[in-house]
Amino acid sequence: MTEDSAQVVRIERTFEAPAEDVFDAWTSAEVIRRWFKPGQDWGTPSAEVDLRVGGTVWVVMRSPDGAEVGARGEYTVIERPDRLAFTWTFDDDPSNQQMIELEFTEEDGATTVLFVNSNITNEERRGQQYSGWQACFDSFERALAI
């Protein structure tokens, strides 16, 4: 995984669920719509997943004021339930192609996710993405409990 702190968001969280369930929550459009919320009052009206190397993931988030933000990527690694990687580009900044890499490690029925979002263009966007991903992980935990 790439590590340049000026361009990277790194988050590690543990969830009380098997690795297969946690992996599947990252790759199911239905489940993604439940947790992909970069803020408490945000919504996720659309998500699409074509789960194959070279396939795409696309998510549309809606802010509390109704503005929509889209992001999409292409899967580069799919190793269920251990690893997942995809490119990541926001519709409002298509020149900044980032990378998302996830490792899922299960121990005693709980799964630790190591999340690395790399190649972020600037410190302001990095800060926005860090807070947004933290909120997504909080929602993710609630979505797994459903």
Side-chain angles (χ1 to χ4, degrees), residues 1 20 22 35 46 50-51 60 63 69 78-79 95 129-130 133-134 144:
M1 292 192 181
E20 289 86 0
V22 175
W35 66 263
S46 295
D50 178 9
L51 188 60
V60 175
S63 70
V69 178
I78 301 169
E79 296 174 7
S95 66
Q129 287 183 230
Y130 181 79
W133 283 117
Q134 288 286 16
L144 279 176

Side-chain angles (χ1 to χ4, degrees), residues 14-89:
T14 300
F15 302 96
E16 294 299 322
E20 289 86 0
D21 293 353
V22 175
F23 183 95
D24 290 347
W26 274 90
T27 58
S28 161
E30 176 187 338
V31 180
I32 288 170
R33 283 190 297 273
R34 292 198 311 247
W35 66 263
F36 209 103
K37 300 169 189 333
Q40 194 169 22
D41 297 330
W42 285 64
T44 309
S46 295
E48 295 178 15
V49 171
D50 178 9
L51 188 60
R52 61 185 173 81
V53 172
T56 58
V57 56
W58 177 62
V59 178
V60 175
M61 301 154 277
R62 185 175 295 136
S63 70
D65 67 6
E68 291 190 347
V69 178
R72 64 190 73 234
E74 181 177 303
Y75 291 106
T76 60
V77 175
I78 301 169
E79 296 174 7
R80 183 180 188 270
D82 302 311
R83 293 183 61 225
L84 184 66
F86 49 94
T87 61
W88 193 243
T89 306

